[in-house]
């Protein structure tokens, strides 16, 4: 007996163990969902946290003069003064081992300029012989000669390089001499003269020079043939440019710094004002620098303030007060190196991806080259100093456009079919038709997309015209048949009567569709549609087909589950089937129908393959049905494999994924609630 | 004049409209499947070879052996696949209807399919051996058979015997046996002998060539070793054609893709799909079934359980690409990165599990199909009459015993239905896979003869991804597109069959417990 | 003295502990907020057939289900009081419910054989207990089927599915299934209400034979059945025991008016 008792206890214990295990798995569902949400949110979070400066470390170089630094934390080189004259590059990570040394006579003027990650040494001899050579990267060397007399009269010089153009400013007592050199034709040096009263900024990339005095700004081309003038509202005290010269920053005495961007106004390149940054009274920028692959930029002012900002939207992100003003600076990734005479301070920027604030994703931004603020989505790669354009509105509009167009196609078809099989036909027909339509649900979307892209898209023109013809004539056809249908139907044997409906219609549809395809070319000219993108139409058809089955299943369920007691009551009062449908069935089934449409919409919004394969995937923020589109989902599929983990694009893509998740969550919950409510209502049957 | 519409006629109009909607959906389904199968079968059904005469744009009249293309879009252009002496490997030619002169079927012309996937249309003239002696054409079949035997022997040597020797040598290396040891010397001798045999076989393989002639009289030599198959499609009767189509189908299923997915077969993609689905089933089945059992048998009726059900329903509605994003961000980068730093630190910075691969793809698809399995299993559990449970409890069974012995066996067909639906979904879903491990071309299969045999970190090919790639890269009317259509048909067929099986299972179940 | 009725008549209120199979003391049961059983006190005598009768919803099935704690499965059930089965309080926290249910068998209104063959049905409970020796199991199955008076009808087709049996045969199969565990108490919840009169008689005869080896408690709404079959009858009304005595007395000379009204069909 005891053994048996033991056995019972054993069984109970096993039962408890298993119960714990199963509960674990049950709770695991919730855990999974939470993990998914948490992960999406955590990867999106950087967008919502503002970037900030943090002092990382200081490299002391007490025994040398540091001229410029590369990315020394990532094995970059340091450029220091060589003795007696010249420069040396040293590897900081290897105990400052000297890698290269370029000695020059001390009578030469040496200067280092950086453009797009490449540093150049400008070496000009006493008599104007110029030698420009690349430091630690491009090893090119360019040699040419400036006029000796001009050179020897110099009081001040400035250099700028943007291959293949080089500009050198020699300021004498009375004028600024600007020498333009093209590396492709080094002997051909062009000299322009400007009055010394103007302040000059070189824009070598565009072969232009900005001069300003008082409130006037002038942009003059090399050769002084073309000139644009602008009037500013305050006297200007400084103008700076960023790496690609497509943006200028104009600082005036009111403490305002305005960003001007270049635009193409009917063939001419001009600058227009965008936003303003506000400094303290009497504060003036020393430099404005752009980040190589995000939209960040910083302003270093003469009061020692370092301002981090989004250079497209103008939003200020972080401001710190430096103790001293650095003599040179470099910016790599999230590391900002500030060079002082005997040391280099390294500042890290936390959460640099946060430069793309949520506002910048949804509000129109004014990018370089655009005539006004616009929603633009265009990703760039590498360190090319291009502005990252992450407007999400075009993608949202694309997804909405595709989903709504699909609904326009899907709703009439699926609801009509649901009414037909759920209400009008007999049980026998329903048993055969319903599973057939539900098979459509099983077709993989990649297959639908394939057929749409490969078979439908090439004949889109013809398809569009024949479709229009078909739709226009269809009501007429249905009407004509309807006039006679009832009379013929009552004469037919009962068994065939219901089937005759669908058989006749199927036949007619086939015949008429075929006819309209043939006839379309001659009736309507196809050319009215050529030239515009018909991808939205094809997407509407393909996506509509894909979601039709979803909507059909749920709508049919709703209609069929209307209690027969209600329907019979209506019939008993003499109502026709149509009247019963309108007054009773649709009214009762309405929540279910709405839920079906909502779920179909959710599915269309979240569908990837069809929009990816059929549309041109160009993110155009337009509701025009004849423009291509890019959907939110397709965007993720295209961009995510190439995005750097933790970068701005990565966070933006996760943000879109989170949006999709939340959207479908809400739609699905509301739809389920509607369906639940409907089921409760009809439960008494 | 216009009579008002009677209620009957109004009703008929509405019925017609609804019937039209139904017809549209049914026709769409039929058209989809039918079109796909038609275009796909063009890939395996033999095309007769014609002698075609047409005008070149420069006015010249050309005659060549060609095959027509099915699926040509409209009546004004003619698409041919032509073999000429200047361009022996079938090239596409698009002609305007006006350029076309005449065509007639040619019986002597053969379709010569090469091992690398290209095809030549020409008349075989003679077979020559290494000494250039001409042999009669009747010898061709004999020679091709002996070539086959040589091919198989070479493949066997490479795959089995050499591989075995490699392994043994590797074992010796690991044990650091010295170079002079008799065992090792023996291995090396065997190795050398096999290499020599291979060399001789390969020489023999390349000995024979087939000379073919194009219409313009020019001849062309093909090495017999390069020929995969020679058929005479113009001479085939219907049973012959069916047989040839069956052989083509076999090649389609077992060959690798060649010539940028326009020739060959889909075997790697098929294999990759099957392996991934298998792995996914192993992951999702226990989780899904246990979760469903919890929800239906163990969970108390409180708001928490209702919330769990909402979770399941929402997980089913989440767009598949979001699962791909989660799979890439969390599974591949986070989990995979952790696994790499713990177990594979010596191969860093090259990622092992920290990069998209087979395992993560299977895990992501398991997550995607989890709701399907849970819902189907729960449906099955709910169809078990409660009286059976009561009977089991009354005999003293614990809850686990009741579930395990009584409930689950009855619900197992529903579980199967759920798994089948999950498999169908995984075979057809592409979006998340593109992010977590399926690639357009993978050099190796995920399972092969090298340790550890089951490569969970490898990237693999998938049928759906192949089709996606095909849509972007192929033009609609080339012969290459035919292979893509065939792949599409295959995928569609597999998915539809799985779904039909699942539906039949489910219907039979419903009737059983009515 | 001519004994007109030949049986042992014991006054239910005088039962000793040895003669009691189940002793119910102060049993109150609530489903959620609704109190279904009020302060039930009674003793079920050993090796006799006791019947619970009463209107629908009076709580007789609920009371029956307390004896093998099947009520636990109905959810949100709160029980206070004691039920002593062979001296052991089945509602104590340390009670092994599986063990209890193996020794207190139950048969339900609608026959519920498992979708297995006859042999597996009967041996289900035995398999749970881990007895896997084939010979022993065969013997136990045979004995159980004989005890349920089904053996002769199914001995040739032990391995055919239970669904081939008729309703009456299935009910006997279910009884055999319970008997295989050699329970000391057998609870029957309206066991014949789904069966035809002929089969009902067979099962009633079976009960008579079975009471020699176990105590039988039966719930029935068929008073004639209760009068035919049971030795003792309890009449319940709205969760209370109105009257409980030996069947003869209850049906011929009911003490309470309520009982009399029910028996004579004035309500119920």
């Amino acid at each position: 007996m005891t053994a048996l008792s033991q056995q019972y206890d054993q069984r109970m214990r096993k039962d408890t163990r298993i119960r714990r295990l199963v509960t674990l798995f049950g709770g695991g569902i919730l855990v999974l969902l939470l993990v998914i949400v948490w992960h999406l949110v955590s990867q999106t979070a950087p967008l919502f946290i503002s970037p900030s400066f943090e002092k990382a470390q200081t490299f002391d170089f007490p025994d040398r003069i540091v001229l410029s630094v590369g990315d020394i934390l990532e094995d970059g080189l340091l450029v220091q003064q060589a003795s007696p004259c010249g420069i040396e590059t040293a590897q900081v990570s290897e105990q400052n081992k000297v890698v290269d040394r370029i000695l020059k006579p001390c009578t030469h003027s040496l200067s280092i300029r950086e453009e797009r990650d490449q540093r150049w040494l400008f070496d000009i001899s006493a008599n104007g012989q110029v030698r420009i050579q690349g430091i630690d990267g491009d090893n090119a060397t360019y040699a040419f000669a400036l006029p000796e007399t001009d050179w020897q009269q110099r009081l001040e010089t400035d250099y700028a390089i943007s291959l293949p153009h080089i500009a050198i400013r020699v300021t004498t007592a009375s004028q600024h001499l600007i020498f333009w050199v093209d590396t492709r034709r080094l002997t051909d040096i062009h000299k322009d003269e400007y009055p010394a009263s103007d302040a000059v900024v070189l824009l070598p990339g565009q072969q232009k020079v900005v001069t300003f005095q008082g409130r006037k700004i002038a942009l003059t081309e090399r050769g002084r043939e073309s000139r644009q003038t602008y009037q500013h509202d305050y006297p200007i005290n400084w103008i700076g440019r960023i790496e690609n010269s497509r943006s200028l920053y104009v600082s005036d005495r009111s403490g305002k710094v305005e960003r001007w961007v270049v635009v193409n106004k009917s063939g001419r390149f001009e600058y227009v004002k965008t936003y303003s940054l506000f400094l303290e009274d009497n504060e003036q920028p020393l430099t404005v620098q752009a980040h190589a692959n995000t939209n960040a930029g910083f302003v270093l002012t003469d009061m020692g303030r370092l301002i981090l900002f989004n250079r497209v939207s103008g939003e200020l992100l972080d401001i710190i007060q430096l103790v001293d003003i650095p003599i040179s600076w470099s910016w790599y990734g999230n590391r900002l190196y500030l060079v002082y005479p005997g040391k280099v301070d390294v500042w890290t920027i936390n959460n640099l991806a946060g430069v793309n604030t949520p506002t910048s994703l949804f509000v129109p931004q004014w990018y370089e080259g655009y005539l006004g603020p616009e929603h633009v989505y265009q990703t760039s790669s590498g360190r090319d100093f291009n502005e990252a354009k992450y407007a999400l509105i075009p993608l949202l509009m694309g997804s909405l456009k595709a989903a709504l167009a699909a609904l326009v196609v899907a709703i009439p078809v699926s609801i009509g079919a649901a009414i037909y099989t759920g209400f009008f036909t007999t049980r026998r027909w329903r048993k055969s038709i319903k599973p057939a339509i539900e098979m459509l649900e099983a077709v993989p979307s990649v297959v639908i997309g394939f057929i749409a892209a490969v078979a439908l898209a090439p004949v889109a023109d013809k398809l569009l015209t024949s479709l229009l013809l078909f739709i226009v004539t269809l009501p007429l056809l249905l009407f004509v048949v309807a006039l006679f249908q009832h009379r013929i139907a009552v004469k037919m044997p009962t068994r065939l009567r219901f089937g005759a409906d669908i058989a006749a219609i199927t036949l007619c549809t086939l015949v008429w569709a075929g006819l309209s395809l043939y006839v379309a070319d001659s009736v309507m000219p196809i050319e009215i549609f050529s030239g515009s993108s018909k991808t939205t139409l094809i997407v509407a058809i393909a996506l509509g087909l894909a979601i039709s089955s979803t909507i059909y299943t749920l709508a049919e369920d709703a209609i069929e589950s209307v209690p027969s007691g209600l329907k019979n009551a209506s019939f008993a009062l003499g109502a026709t089937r149509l009247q019963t449908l309108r007054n009773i069935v649709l009214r009762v089934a309405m929540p279910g129908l709405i839920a079906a449409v909502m779920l179909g919409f959710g599915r269309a919004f979240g569908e990837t393959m069809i929009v990816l394969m059929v549309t041109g995937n160009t993110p155009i923020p337009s509701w025009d049905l004849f423009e291509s589109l890019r959907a939110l989902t397709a965007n993720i599929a295209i961009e995510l494999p190439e995005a750097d983990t933790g970068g701005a694009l990565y966070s933006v893509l996760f943000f879109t994924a989170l949006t999709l998740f939340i959207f479908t969550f809400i739609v699905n919950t509301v739809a389920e609630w509607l369906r639940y409510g409907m089921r409760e209502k009809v439960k008494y049957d | 004049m216009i009579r008002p519409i009677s209620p009957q006629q109004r009703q008929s109009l509405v019925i017609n409209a609804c019937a039209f909607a139904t017809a549209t959906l049914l026709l769409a389904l039929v058209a989809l499947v039918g079109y796909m199968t038609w275009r796909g079968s063009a890939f395996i059904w033999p095309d007769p070879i014609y002698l075609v005469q047409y005008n070149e744009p420069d006015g010249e009249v050309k005659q060549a052996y060609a095959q027509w293309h099915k699926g040509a879009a409209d009546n004004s252009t003619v698409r041919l696949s032509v073999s000429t002496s200047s361009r022996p490997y079938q090239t596409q030619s698009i002609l305007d209807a006006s350029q076309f002169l005449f065509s007639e079927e040619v019986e002597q012309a053969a379709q010569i399919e090469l091992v690398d996937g290209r095809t030549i249309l020409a008349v075989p003239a003679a077979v020559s051996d290494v000494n250039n002696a001409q042999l009669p054409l009747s010898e061709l079949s004999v020679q091709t058979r002996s070539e086959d035997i040589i091919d198989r022997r070479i493949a066997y040597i490479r795959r089995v015997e050499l591989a075995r020797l490699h392994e043994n040598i590797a074992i010796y290396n690991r044990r650091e046996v010295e170079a002079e040891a008799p065992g090792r010397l023996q291995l090396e001798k065997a190795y050398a002998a096999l290499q020599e045999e291979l060399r001789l076989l390969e020489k023999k393989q390349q000995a024979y060539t087939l000379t073919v002639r194009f219409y313009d009289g020019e001849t062309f030599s093909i090495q017999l070793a390069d020929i995969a198959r020679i058929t005479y499609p113009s001479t085939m009767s219907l049973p012959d054609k069916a047989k040839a189509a069956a052989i083509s189908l076999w090649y389609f299923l077992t060959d690798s893709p060649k010539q940028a997915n326009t020739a060959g077969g889909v075997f790697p993609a098929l294999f990759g799909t099957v392996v991934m689905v298998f792995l996914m089933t192993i992951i999702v089945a226990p989780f899904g079934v246990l979760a469903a059992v919890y929800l239906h048998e163990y969970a108390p009726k409180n708001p928490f359980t209702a919330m769990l059900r909402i979770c399941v329903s929402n997980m089913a509605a989440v767009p598949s690409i979001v699962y791909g994003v989660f799979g890439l961000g969390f599974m591949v980068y986070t989990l995979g990165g952790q696994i790499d730093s713990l177990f594979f630190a010596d191969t860093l910075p090259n990622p092992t599990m920290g990069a998209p691969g087979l395992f993560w793809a299977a895990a992501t698809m398991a997550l995607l199909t989890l709701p399907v399995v849970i819902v189907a299993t729960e449906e099955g559990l709910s169809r078990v009459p409660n009286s059976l449970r009561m009977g089991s409890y009354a005999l003293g069974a614990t809850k686990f015993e009741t579930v395990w012995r009584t409930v689950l066996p009855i619900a197992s067909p529903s579980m199967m239905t759920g798994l089948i639906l999950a498999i169908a979904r995984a075979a057809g879903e592409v979006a998340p896979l593109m992010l977590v491990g399926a690639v357009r071309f993978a050099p190796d299969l995920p399972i092969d003869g090298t340790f550890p045999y089951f490569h969970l970190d490898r990237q693999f090919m998938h049928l759906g991804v192949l089709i996606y790639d095909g849509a972007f890269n192929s033009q609609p009317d080339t012969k290459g597109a035919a292979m893509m259509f065939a792949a599409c048909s295959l995928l569609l067929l597999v998915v539809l069959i799985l779904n039909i099986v699942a539906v039949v299972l489910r219907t039979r179940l419903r009737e059983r417990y009515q | 003295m001519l004994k007109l009725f030949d049986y042992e008549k014991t006054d239910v209120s005088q039962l000793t502990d040895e003669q009691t199979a189940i002793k119910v003391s102060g049993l109150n049961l609530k489903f959620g907020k609704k109190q279904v059983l009020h302060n039930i006190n009674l003793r079920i005598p050993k090796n006799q057939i006791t019947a619970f009768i009463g209107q629908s919803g009076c709580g007789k099935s609920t009371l029956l289900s307390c004896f093998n704690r099947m009520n636990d499965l109905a959810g949100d059930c709160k029980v206070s009081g004691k039920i002593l089965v062979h001296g052991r309080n089945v509602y104590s926290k340390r009670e092994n419910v599986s063990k209890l249910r193996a020794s207190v068998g139950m048969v339900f209104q609608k026959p519920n054989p498992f979708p297995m063959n006859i042999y597996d049905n009967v041996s289900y409970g035995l398999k749970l207990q881990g007895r896997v020796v084939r010979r022993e199991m065969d013997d136990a199955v045979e004995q159980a089927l004989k005890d349920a008076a089904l053996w002769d009808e199914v001995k040739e087709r032990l391995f055919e599915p239970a669904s081939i049996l008729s309703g009456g045969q299935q009910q006997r199969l279910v009884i055999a299934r319970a008997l295989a565990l050699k329970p000391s108490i057998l609870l029957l919840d309206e066991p014949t209400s789904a069966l035809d009169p002929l089969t009902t008689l067979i099962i009633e005869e079976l009960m008579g034979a079975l009471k020699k080896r176990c105590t039988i408690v039966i719930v029935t709404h068929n008073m004639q059945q209760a009068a035919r079959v049971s030795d003792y009858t309890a009449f319940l009304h709205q969760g209370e025991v109105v009257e409980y005595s030996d069947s003869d007395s209850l049906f011929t000379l009911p003490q309470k008016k309520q009982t009399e009204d029910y028996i004579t069909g004035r309500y119920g």
Side-chain angles (χ1 to χ4, degrees), chain A residues 1 4-5 7-12, chain C residues 95-99 102 128-130:
Chain A
M1 206 55 200
L4 207 57
S5 286
Q7 206 189 43
Y8 277 111
D9 286 330
Q10 238 178 4
R11 282 164 63 191
M12 282 306 219
Chain C
E95 180 67 21
N96 187 319
V97 176
S98 275
K99 198 163 151 197
L128 290 175
Q129 290 176 347

Side-chain angles (χ1 to χ4, degrees), chain A residues 11 15 39 485 577-578 668, chain B residues 11 16 313-314 396 400-401:
Chain A
R11 282 164 63 191
D15 189 55
H39 183 72
Q485 186 178 357
R577 284 188 293 168
L578 179 62
N668 190 62
Chain B
Q11 180 174 275
N16 282 348
S313 150
N314 278 313
F400 164 64
E401 287 161 352

Side-chain angles (χ1 to χ4, degrees), chain A residues 115-116 160-167 204-206 241 243 245:
Chain A
E115 177 80 18
R116 287 181 189 273
I161 177 168
S162 176
L163 292 178
H165 304 293
I166 301 172
Q206 300 179 353
R241 68 172 180 91
E243 204 80 26
S245 309

Side-chain angles (χ1 to χ4, degrees), chain A residues 206-404:
Chain A
Q206 300 179 353
Q207 296 192 281
K208 288 203 182 119
V209 154
V210 180
T211 53
F212 62 90
Q213 192 198 38
R215 281 174 220 219
K216 288 208 273 273
I217 302 178
L219 239 91
T220 318
E221 247 186 61
R222 166 187 181 276
R224 302 203 60 156
E225 276 168 26
S226 150
R227 185 184 157 96
Q228 295 162 2
T229 45
Y230 303 88
Q231 184 84 359
H232 196 60
D233 41 2
Y234 276 99
I236 303 158
N237 53 20
W238 179 88
I239 294 186
R241 68 172 180 91
I242 57 172
E243 204 80 26
N244 49 27
S245 309
R246 291 207 289 267
S247 296
L248 293 179
Y249 287 84
V250 177
S251 163
D252 59 43
R253 289 204 216 274
S254 71
K256 185 172 68 175
V257 179
E258 250 180 24
R259 168 186 180 245
W260 292 22
V261 295
V262 66
V263 298
N264 184 341
K265 273 197 184 158
S266 40
R268 272 178 19 121
F269 284 98
E270 290 178 8
Y271 282 87
V272 293
K273 306 182 198 195
T274 59
Y275 59 78
S276 302
L277 303 172
F278 293 93
L279 304 177
E280 306 284 334
D281 290 334
N282 298 321
E283 194 180 2
Q284 183 178 319
L286 292 176
T287 182
V288 177
Q289 293 289 318
H291 191 261
N293 54 7
T294 64
N295 289 348
F298 74 79
V299 178
L300 176 65
T301 70
D302 59 353
M303 290 198 193
R305 289 204 306 160
L306 194 61
I307 303 171
L308 187 69
F309 72 110
N310 179 323
R311 69 178 195 273
V312 175
S313 64
E315 290 163 286
L316 295 181
L317 303 169
D318 195 13
I319 305 177
I320 52 171
Q321 176 71 48
L322 296 174
V323 176
D324 292 309
I325 295 178
I327 55 173
S328 142
W329 38 79
S330 337
W331 201 0
Y332 296 95
N334 65 343
R335 302 167 289 284
L336 181 60
Y337 299 96
L338 297 178
V339 178
Y340 296 89
K343 67 173 173 140
V344 174
D345 277 349
V346 185
W347 291 78
T348 45
I349 303 173
N350 295 325
N351 203 45
L352 188 55
V355 69
N356 295 68
T357 59
T359 342
S360 68
L361 296 178
F362 288 101
V363 169
Q365 304 284 298
W366 202 330
Y367 299 101
E368 297 160 344
Y370 286 75
L371 285 165
E374 279 180 37
H375 295 290
V376 182
Y377 184 89
Q378 194 184 80
T379 50
S380 59
S381 54
R383 290 174 58 83
D384 54 5
F385 293 91
N386 275 332
E387 290 171 332
K389 306 179 178 74
Y390 295 136
L392 294 184
I393 299 285
L395 302 175
L396 270 174
M397 285 174 76
S399 280
L400 276 176
K401 204 161 85 171
L404 290 174

Side-chain angles (χ1 to χ4, degrees), chain A residues 68 185 223 228 429:
Chain A
S68 152
R185 287 189 309 273
Q228 295 162 2
W429 280 100

Side-chain angles (χ1 to χ4, degrees), chain B residues 121-346:
Chain B
L121 302 175
V123 175
V127 180
S128 18
D129 68 8
V130 66
N131 306 319
N132 255 333
Q134 303 280 340
L135 302 162
L137 215 48
S138 50
E139 290 290 300
L140 183 60
S141 47
V142 174
Q143 286 306 331
T144 43
R145 254 177 302 195
S146 59
E147 285 284 342
D148 273 343
I149 296 174
I150 297 177
D151 278 341
R152 276 199 289 264
R153 176 79 191 135
I154 292 179
Y156 180 74
I157 292 179
R158 284 224 177 92
R159 212 181 50 235
V160 178
E161 299 189 5
L162 275 182
R164 205 183 299 148
L165 279 180
H166 273 137
E167 253 191 75
N168 288 334
I169 294 180
I171 294 175
Y172 274 30
N173 281 337
R174 266 207 299 275
R175 290 206 223 127
E176 291 181 10
V177 174
E178 68 251 5
E180 303 303 314
R184 187 191 272 268
L185 288 175
Q186 211 176 8
L187 279 181
E188 288 179 357
K189 214 166 80 174
Y191 193 81
L194 277 177
Q195 293 278 52
E196 180 62 20
E197 190 185 342
L198 264 182
R199 197 180 66 80
L200 287 172
L201 282 175
E202 279 171 357
K203 203 157 143 225
K204 222 163 113 184
Q205 209 187 27
Q206 286 149 10
Y208 290 92
T209 53
L210 173 71
T211 317
V212 295
R213 195 176 297 129
F214 295 102
Y215 187 74
D216 55 6
E218 294 288 319
T219 55
F220 187 72
S221 289
I222 315 169
Q223 275 204 346
L224 229 51
D226 289 338
I227 299 181
R229 204 169 139 200
I230 303 183
T231 48
Y232 293 84
S234 302
T235 63
M236 287 183 183
S237 59
L238 196 59
D240 284 338
K241 283 195 179 172
K243 211 168 92 167
I247 298 179
S248 292
L249 183 63
W250 174 250
Y251 278 132
F252 176 65
L253 293 174
T254 54
D255 235 345
S256 301
K258 299 172 184 155
Q259 303 290 324
N261 289 348
T262 59
V266 294
F267 179 70
L270 200 56
F271 188 76
T273 311
V274 168
V275 171
M276 183 213 63
V277 162
F278 177 71
L279 203 55
M280 171 203 87
T281 312
I282 295 179
I283 300 174
V284 80
F287 204 129
V289 170
L290 281 172
V293 166
Y294 172 77
L295 275 178
H296 197 266
E297 304 286 330
Y298 285 83
K301 283 191 173 36
N302 57 20
F304 184 71
T305 310
M307 187 170 64
L308 273 185
R309 289 228 163 79
I310 294 179
C311 280
V312 172
S313 150
N314 278 313
M315 279 177 78
V318 169
S320 54
I321 191 87
V322 175
Y323 282 114
V325 169
F326 176 72
L328 183 66
F330 184 72
M331 294 192 203
V332 173
Y333 290 144
T334 310
L335 286 182
Q338 284 289 65
I339 294 178
D340 268 356
S341 51
L342 285 175
F343 298 108
F344 298 103
D346 42 337

Side-chain angles (χ1 to χ4, degrees), chain A residues 11-12 14-15 18-19 21-23 25-30 32-33 35-36 38-40 412-414 416-417 419-421 424 433 436-437 439-440 442-448 450-451 453-455 458 470 474-475 478-479 481-483 485-487 501-502 505-506 509-510 545 548 552 576-578 581-582 606 608-609 612-613 617 633 636-637 640-641 643 645 650 654 657 660-661 664-665 668-669 672, chain B residues 3 5 7-29 32 35-36 73 286-287 290-291 293-295 298 304 307-308 310-315 317-326 328-330 333-334 367 370 374 395-401 428-431 434-435 464 467-468 470-472 474 476 481 484-485 488 491-492 495-496 499-500 503 511:
Chain A
R11 282 164 63 191
M12 282 306 219
K14 187 168 173 191
D15 189 55
I18 304 266
R19 172 183 295 261
L21 180 73
V22 174
T23 310
F25 274 88
I29 303 173
L30 189 61
L32 263 179
L33 199 66
V35 168
I36 296 178
W38 169 81
H39 183 72
L40 289 177
V413 170
S414 46
I419 294 176
Y420 188 73
T421 58
F424 282 126
I433 298 180
I437 297 182
M439 270 300 123
L440 210 51
V443 176
S445 53
V446 67
V447 168
I448 299 181
F450 181 78
I451 288 204
V454 164
F470 187 70
L474 181 70
L478 290 179
F479 185 73
V481 176
L483 286 176
Q485 186 178 357
H486 186 68
R487 283 191 223 147
D501 282 347
I502 192 147
I505 290 300
T506 313
T509 313
L510 261 173
L545 193 65
S548 284
Y552 169 80
T576 62
R577 284 188 293 168
L578 179 62
L581 176 73
R582 272 215 326 242
T608 311
M609 292 321 290
L612 187 57
M613 292 165 94
N617 287 312
T633 46
I636 297 176
L640 194 58
T645 345
Y650 194 79
F654 265 82
L660 281 168
F661 182 89
T664 39
F665 189 92
N668 190 62
T669 311
E672 285 293 318
Chain B
R3 269 179 305 157
I5 316 172
Q8 284 300 342
Q9 286 169 327
R10 201 178 307 144
Q11 180 174 275
S12 299
L13 184 61
V14 173
I15 295 181
N16 282 348
C18 293
F20 165 70
T22 319
T24 309
L25 282 180
L26 289 173
L27 284 175
L29 179 66
L32 197 77
Y35 182 71
M36 196 62 83
F287 204 129
L290 281 172
V293 166
Y294 172 77
L295 275 178
Y298 285 83
F304 184 71
M307 187 170 64
L308 273 185
I310 294 179
C311 280
V312 172
S313 150
N314 278 313
M315 279 177 78
V318 169
S320 54
I321 191 87
V322 175
Y323 282 114
V325 169
F326 176 72
L328 183 66
F330 184 72
Y333 290 144
T334 310
L367 196 58
L370 185 67
I374 292 180
L395 292 167
T398 61
K399 190 174 199 111
F400 164 64
E401 287 161 352
E429 195 68 62
V430 176
M434 293 198 302
L435 296 176
I467 294 173
Y468 163 71
F472 268 115
S474 60
M484 282 300 121
F485 275 104
C488 237
L491 182 62
L492 194 60
V495 169
L496 284 182
N499 269 278
I500 292 176
V503 168
E511 283 160 14

